[in-house]
Amino acid sequence: MSEYNETMITPLSQGRSFWTTGKKNRRKTALGATTIVVLLALISWLVWMSPSDNIVRKAVSDVVQPIAGDATLKSDRANLLSQLVSSKSAMSNQQAELAKIKAQLAAANGKSTALQQQLSAASAAESAAEGKAASLSAQVAAAGSHAGTAKAVTPAKSTTAAVGPVVPQAGTLDSLIHPASRQFGLYTDQSPFNWAENDLVASDLSAQPSIAGYFQGWDTDFRADAVQRAWAKGETPLLTWESQSNSSSTTTTANQAAYSLGNIINGNFDAYLKKYADDIVANGQPLGIRLDQEMNANWYPWGEGANGNSKGQFVLMWQHVHDIFAAEGANAYVDWIWAPNRVDGLSAANGMQKESYLLSFYPGDAYVDQVGMSAYLRPPYSTGETYSFDHTFGTTLTQLRDIAPGKPILLAETGASEIGNQKAAWITSLFTALSNPVNNDIVGVDWFNHVVTSTTSGVQYTNDWRIQSSNGSIAAFKSGLALVASNPQAFQFALKPVS
């Protein structure tokens, strides 16, 4: 070998390859090219017709798919951009519409505020006019009452056209004292602030009660909403107003020194009483007030045998409260109800069952509009119980008629226990007596629709006073109402049907 690098060139004519020049080789070249093309086409066909897991086909797909996927993504992106532009345009239109609605709402609120201010001014003017009229009427009524005449003057109502919320229609004071029909009332747990139980009883009896009874202590201001809600329901408000704390922790004891009769007589509660009377005048609707019920017993702070009270102080207390109301013009709206406990349930040994004892608590005709009583069917505590109207009410009714002849009588708090299984019979006896014209001076019955558990002499009793305590009780009550209606000479109930 030469030590120099040399490039060897082979003459063309000497080669044997089919692509070499020459006529013969040109034919070979064309044939070779054709063969290559056919082979490539055959290979392609084999690749695409082969199974999907073929190595060659997979390799080709790995190259082709990213390219196709990239094109799809570009297309999707373009579509999303188009939708975004469309959404922004729609949102812009909605925001413009919302701004327009807000502007309209603001304008409406402005008009509403202006109207409310006008309504308040008109209501205030109307209340002031009614208050003045009530005060003048009350002075006339009070003067007549102290002279021994019956209370008959009622405040003149304003003729100003009603504007805004309609004040519930209320009856006149005289219609409370001397009702045109016999009344049926209920004390329930929450009325007149909630009518659920009231409506349940009405549904059971197919008749709407006409009096809504409720309780309040002297540590609570006048509740105008209670009176208004009762009248709006179509029921007369009857407040049992107790000179004691409204707290549940103190109402179980008669020893509440702050509320002694002497303190009330000496003026300790005058500011409270004047405000209460003024609030009644401002509300302008009549109501019944049963002040310090069952005063002839000794289980409340106003009993003369309890809380340091002395004989004769109850009458002085009642007259003191009544006089304050007269001075403030409130007596033009108040039906004063004097309602002792049934006398035969008290101590005979201490003379508490005598008429003279009951008379010592009577404030006088000029200070009382209606008389009444609390009387229950309570078998565990009633000696010689006959489950009759006469046994429960008879003795006390006789004394009331003697003490206050001609005064309307209200069975102001009554009920019957299921103990002894005589409740239905007792209810029948009650309505049998009410159907007798001799008892037409009984103008109403107020039922204590509660369940109460109490302990007496170490024995605990649960009394279900409710009308709906049993089907028998409900049936007896409905039959009793029908019994009274069957006697045209009896003072009739005129209860509205349940709507």
Side-chain angles (χ1 to χ4, degrees):
M1 272 284 296
S2 170
E3 60 185 58
Y4 300 101
N5 292 328
E6 295 182 346
T7 299
M8 301 296 292
I9 299 177
T10 302
L12 294 176
S13 59
Q14 294 179 358
R16 295 291 182 182
S17 300
F18 65 86
W19 58 79
T20 55
T21 58
K23 183 177 181 179
K24 183 177 179 180
N25 285 341
R26 282 198 299 273
R27 287 195 298 270
K28 292 180 179 179
T29 299
L31 181 60
T34 300
T35 302
I36 291 172
V37 170
V38 172
L39 288 174
L40 289 174
L42 180 61
I43 291 171
S44 296
W45 181 82
L46 289 173
V47 168
W48 294 111
M49 293 301 292
S50 63
S52 59
D53 56 352
N54 181 273
I55 296 176
V56 177
R57 181 171 180 175
K58 185 174 184 305
V60 173
S61 296
D62 290 344
V63 174
V64 175
Q65 284 179 355
I67 298 174
D70 185 62
T72 301
L73 288 174
K74 288 181 179 180
S75 176
D76 291 344
R77 182 174 178 273
N79 289 336
L80 289 173
L81 288 173
S82 177
Q83 293 175 16
L84 179 60
V85 171
S86 178
S87 298
K88 286 183 176 180
S89 177
M91 184 180 296
S92 177
N93 293 336
Q94 291 174 356
Q95 288 175 342
E97 185 66 22
L98 180 60
K100 181 179 178 181
I101 293 173
K102 286 183 176 180
Q104 294 174 351
L105 181 59
N109 285 336
K111 292 180 180 179
S112 176
T113 300
L115 288 174
Q116 288 177 352
Q117 292 174 348
Q118 294 176 17
L119 289 176
S120 298
S123 297
E126 184 177 6
S127 296
E130 290 184 359
K132 290 180 181 179
S135 179
L136 291 173
S137 298
Q139 294 175 25
V140 176
S145 179
H146 285 295
T149 58
K151 218 182 337 182
V153 179
T154 55
K157 301 299 290 183
S158 171
T159 56
T160 306
V163 179
V166 177
V167 176
Q169 182 64 41
T172 65
L173 178 60
D174 189 63
S175 70
L176 270 67
I177 300 172
H178 303 284
S181 59
R182 185 173 269 156
Q183 304 297 298
F184 162 55
L186 281 181
Y187 297 94
T188 65
D189 283 334
Q190 297 181 358
S191 69
F193 307 105
N194 182 298
W195 298 111
E197 187 174 355
N198 181 286
D199 290 345
L200 175 62
V201 175
S203 177
D204 287 338
L205 300 181
S206 301
Q208 186 69 43
S210 54
I211 295 178
Y214 62 106
F215 291 75
Q216 188 178 33
W218 275 29
D219 55 351
T220 305
D221 287 335
F222 173 69
R223 293 288 300 268
D225 57 337
V227 176
Q228 292 171 6
R229 284 180 59 83
W231 282 118
K233 184 73 169 175
E235 301 186 17
T236 300
L238 194 163
L239 166 63
T240 296
W241 197 27
E242 302 176 319
S243 59
Q244 65 174 344
S245 171
N246 201 45
S247 169
S248 60
S249 63
T250 58
T251 54
T252 56
T253 176
N255 296 314
Q256 298 183 48
Y259 294 93
S260 70
L261 294 175
N263 284 341
I264 298 172
I265 295 167
N266 292 332
N268 291 22
F269 291 88
D270 282 6
Y272 167 76
L273 294 171
K274 288 178 181 179
K275 182 180 185 303
Y276 207 97
D278 290 341
D279 289 345
I280 289 176
V281 172
N283 187 57
Q285 295 175 313
L287 73 156
I289 293 183
R290 182 175 63 139
L291 174 61
D292 284 349
Q293 77 284 6
E294 303 168 21
M295 74 295 296
N296 55 331
N298 55 13
W299 47 70
Y300 284 122
W302 51 87
E304 290 184 352
N307 206 28
N309 303 324
S310 59
K311 186 174 178 60
Q313 283 190 322
F314 180 83
V315 167
L316 294 176
M317 179 277 296
W318 183 290
Q319 293 174 344
H320 182 77
V321 174
H322 188 279
D323 288 346
I324 289 176
F325 272 53
E328 301 302 309
N331 282 343
Y333 297 97
V334 176
D335 169 17
W336 290 100
I337 302 167
W338 179 76
N341 191 72
R342 60 181 285 193
V343 298
D344 53 320
L346 303 177
S347 172
N350 294 332
M352 299 174 74
Q353 295 185 5
K354 294 181 179 180
E355 186 174 307
S356 58
Y357 183 77
L358 183 61
L359 177 61
S360 69
F361 291 92
Y362 187 60
D365 289 346
Y367 292 90
V368 174
D369 298 305
Q370 291 181 331
V371 297
M373 73 176 88
S374 297
Y376 289 84
L377 171 68
R378 306 179 71 186
Y381 313 118
S382 181
T383 303
E385 181 64 66
T386 64
Y387 305 101
S388 67
F389 175 88
D390 286 339
H391 183 90
T392 304
F393 301 98
T395 303
T396 309
L397 278 174
T398 298
Q399 293 189 14
L400 290 178
R401 287 165 176 156
D402 289 343
I403 292 170
K407 291 287 186 183
I409 298 173
L410 191 66
L411 305 184
E413 185 182 322
T414 190
S417 173
E418 289 283 1
I419 296 174
N421 299 318
Q422 296 294 322
K423 183 172 184 174
W426 185 90
I427 292 172
T428 299
S429 177
L430 167 66
F431 283 103
T432 299
L434 294 178
S435 68
N436 188 338
V438 73
N439 290 316
N440 281 354
D441 56 350
I442 299 177
V443 298
V445 178
D446 291 316
W447 194 273
F448 191 75
N449 214 66
H450 292 260
V451 178
V452 178
T453 298
S454 59
T455 301
T456 300
S457 301
V459 180
Q460 188 177 79
Y461 297 98
T462 296
N463 290 297
D464 191 343
W465 309 115
R466 298 173 305 157
I467 292 173
Q468 69 270 33
S469 61
S470 65
N471 290 335
S473 174
I474 296 171
F477 219 97
K478 293 179 70 173
S479 297
L481 291 172
L483 178 63
V484 175
S486 69
N487 185 357
Q489 301 303 314
F491 190 32
Q492 296 292 317
F493 292 96
L495 304 179
K496 296 179 181 179
V498 177
S499 59

